């Protein structure tokens, strides 16, 4: 039996995540399915969930409308959250229009790297990996603080732009763009360690 990875497709860059996780599964020699989903009932089919980038205020509204807050909070698999997904997953966010899921012990600041026109590539350092990662930052959030339950994973210009907590991984930038699968592979490796039955 393989790993079921569901990309939450309420809004945002869904197909890029599906393609990147399909490539990561095949690169790691693992069986699995990667699919997009829009309904709360689909959450129980997933071993891992991707919360993609997009517009966190919109995704927050749609999560509420589709009654997905409670099932996501109760989800016991791993969550891979990027950009807007990272804005949603923390315990605190600096915008009252976004209801945080409170799944990860981080506080998040939205749009910390400027507006759409300031979108750029930055060198990201990954803890435990000495090759820099090319991060695509698009109106990206920053991790303002990391509580004791979470651990910083990535840095850019002295800011924390990635963190892990149990099987979850969050990134301010877009690792699904650019073809470097190191962070996807690390997520799958950590997921396997947290759920040995996979
Ligand atoms: N700035 C957006 C937000 O806070 C995130 C941008 C992105 O996901 N690329 O929702």
């Amino acid at each position: 039996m393989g790993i079921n990875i569901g990309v939450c497709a309420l809004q945002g860059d869904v197909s890029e995540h599906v393609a990147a996780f399909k490539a990561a599964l095949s690169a790691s020699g693992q069986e699995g399915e990667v699919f997009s989903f829009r309904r709360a009932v689909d959450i129980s089919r997933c071993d891992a969930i991707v919360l993609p980038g997009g517009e966190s205020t919109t995704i927050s509204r749609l999560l509420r409308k589709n009654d997905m807050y409670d099932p996501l909070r109760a989800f016991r698999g791993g969550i891979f959250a990027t950009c807007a997904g990272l804005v949603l997953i923390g315990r605190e966010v600096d915008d009252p229009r976004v209801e945080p899921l409170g799944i990860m012990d981080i506080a998040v600041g939205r749009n910390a790297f400027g507006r759409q026109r300031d979108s750029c590539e930055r060198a990201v350092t990954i803890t435990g990996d000495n090759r820099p990662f090319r991060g695509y930052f698009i109106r990206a959030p920053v991790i303002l603080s990391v509580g004791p339950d979470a651990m910083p994973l990535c840095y850019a210009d002295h800011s924390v732009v990635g963190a892990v907590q149990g099987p979850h991984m969050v990134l301010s930038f877009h690792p699904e763009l650019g073809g470097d699968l190191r962070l996807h592979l690390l997520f799958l490796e950590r997921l396997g360690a947290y759920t040995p039955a996979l």
Side-chain angles (χ1 to χ4, degrees), residues 65-112:
K65 188 167 162 224
N66 291 288
D67 291 324
M68 283 164 90
Y69 267 94
D70 287 343
L72 281 173
R73 287 173 177 139
F75 179 61
R76 287 292 157 256
I79 298 180
F80 185 86
T82 63
C83 208
L86 180 154
V87 174
L88 285 154
I89 202 173
R91 76 176 137 66
E92 215 179 292
V93 53
D94 63 352
D95 187 330
R97 291 172 299 171
V98 179
E99 179 187 343
L101 282 156
I103 293 171
M104 277 197 49
D105 193 8
I106 54 173
V108 181
R110 289 187 70 213
N111 300 331

Side-chain angles (χ1 to χ4, degrees), residues 83-140:
C83 208
L86 180 154
V87 174
L88 285 154
I89 202 173
R91 76 176 137 66
E92 215 179 292
V93 53
D94 63 352
D95 187 330
R97 291 172 299 171
V98 179
E99 179 187 343
L101 282 156
I103 293 171
M104 277 197 49
D105 193 8
I106 54 173
V108 181
R110 289 187 70 213
N111 300 331
F113 293 92
R115 307 184 64 78
Q116 191 80 24
R117 65 171 180 277
D118 304 313
S119 296
C120 64
E121 254 178 69
R122 285 167 206 266
V124 171
T125 309
I126 307 172
T127 307
D129 186 335
N130 51 23
R131 272 189 308 139
F133 190 96
R134 191 177 287 215
Y136 296 91
F137 288 76
I138 306 171
R139 291 186 301 122

Side-chain angles (χ1 to χ4, degrees), residues 79-82 86 89 104-108 124-127 142-147 149-155 159-173 183 186-187 190:
I79 298 180
F80 185 86
T82 63
L86 180 154
I89 202 173
M104 277 197 49
D105 193 8
I106 54 173
V108 181
V124 171
T125 309
I126 307 172
T127 307
V142 71
I143 299 175
L144 296 170
S145 67
V146 179
D149 294 338
M151 226 170 49
L153 175 70
C154 301
Y155 297 87
S159 298
V160 181
V161 294
V164 285
Q165 179 173 330
H168 309 312
M169 180 181 292
V170 294
L171 304 163
S172 297
F173 51 96
L183 288 161
L186 181 61
F187 173 77
R190 292 175 55 87

